[in-house]
Amino acid sequence: RPGLRPRCDMSLLDQKLYALAKSLEPTEEEKASQRRALEEVRSVLLRRWPGARLSVFGSVASGMQVTKSNDLDLTLELDDVADDDAAGKGRAVEEAAACLDEANEKEQAAKRKGASAKEEEGKAEGEEAGGKKKESVVLFDSILPLPRARVPVLKFRHVPTNTKVDVTINNRLALHNTR
């Protein structure tokens, strides 16, 4: 009603809400991890499809992400796959999964090659000083292509940053809805 004053200090409420919003924002480290994951995924996929575009959509693109709870939603825009070609999108998802597997194999080969120098120094392959077993080094794991989903998608984790990633093909509606 006119003339009535609030019973609480609105500036205090404003401060508390601002502090809550700030506490939910991703840290700069999280944002840097997402950028690194994006660039490494882009590098792998654009090697196979040099003329393609890899675009971010969803909460990360819109700035609505919340700390420690976001995956990276990407769409690979391929000119040679029609927007209404579900089978073509499914094949592209499976091919993208193969590209990630190939990148892992190259990464492991590079690590083995680096480890061979240590072997020459008398260390056993696959072991560090002290006899501890080294973990397998891969860029991507939990690679799950879903080519027959309503929206074909490739789900995986970027291991170095622990970022979960979803890649769709020609998902223009998601891009439009993010804007």
Side-chain angles (χ1 to χ4, degrees):
R1 291 189 273 177
L4 291 180
R5 307 227 2 116
R7 292 184 182 175
C8 65
D9 182 354
M10 295 305 280
S11 64
L12 180 60
L13 177 61
D14 185 53
Q15 289 171 4
K16 296 282 186 184
L17 289 174
Y18 181 78
L20 174 63
K22 289 301 267 179
S23 73
L24 295 174
E25 285 182 3
T27 65
E28 288 305 315
E29 182 179 327
E30 286 176 276
K31 291 177 186 177
S33 290
Q34 289 171 338
R35 284 190 300 273
R36 177 179 174 194
L38 172 62
E39 290 311 313
E40 289 188 6
V41 171
R42 178 176 280 133
S43 172
V44 168
L45 295 180
L46 296 189
R47 233 178 281 137
R48 164 58 187 90
W49 292 283
R53 291 167 306 283
L54 188 65
S55 302
V56 181
F57 67 91
S59 61
V60 172
S62 68
M64 298 298 290
Q65 74 240 48
V66 177
T67 189
K68 297 181 180 123
S69 67
N70 298 291
D71 62 357
L72 193 54
D73 296 310
L74 308 173
T75 191
L76 182 62
E77 299 175 75
L78 301 173
D79 291 334
D80 60 339
V81 177
D83 288 351
D84 62 351
D85 181 5
K89 290 179 179 183
R91 284 189 299 276
V93 159
E94 289 175 324
E95 200 167 333
C99 290
L100 298 182
D101 287 333
E102 184 179 311
N104 281 341
E105 290 169 11
K106 287 180 180 176
E107 183 74 11
Q108 288 175 329
K111 295 295 180 186
R112 281 192 301 271
K113 187 176 181 180
S116 66
K118 290 181 182 178
E119 288 173 26
E120 292 173 13
E121 296 171 8
K123 294 184 179 181
E125 184 177 342
E127 293 186 354
E128 295 177 347
K132 292 183 181 177
K133 186 82 173 164
K134 286 197 301 190
E135 289 185 32
S136 174
V137 177
V138 294
L139 291 174
F140 310 104
D141 73 2
S142 305
I143 300 171
L144 178 63
L146 300 170
R148 290 180 254 324
R150 189 178 61 79
V151 175
V153 62
L154 172 59
K155 300 172 110 18
F156 59 93
R157 183 175 69 101
H158 179 254
V159 175
T161 62
N162 197 32
T163 301
K164 291 180 182 175
V165 182
D166 293 339
V167 178
T168 57
I169 309 298
N170 293 346
N171 196 348
R172 299 181 210 292
L173 179 60
L175 288 174
H176 175 78
N177 288 341
T178 298
R179 292 186 187 120

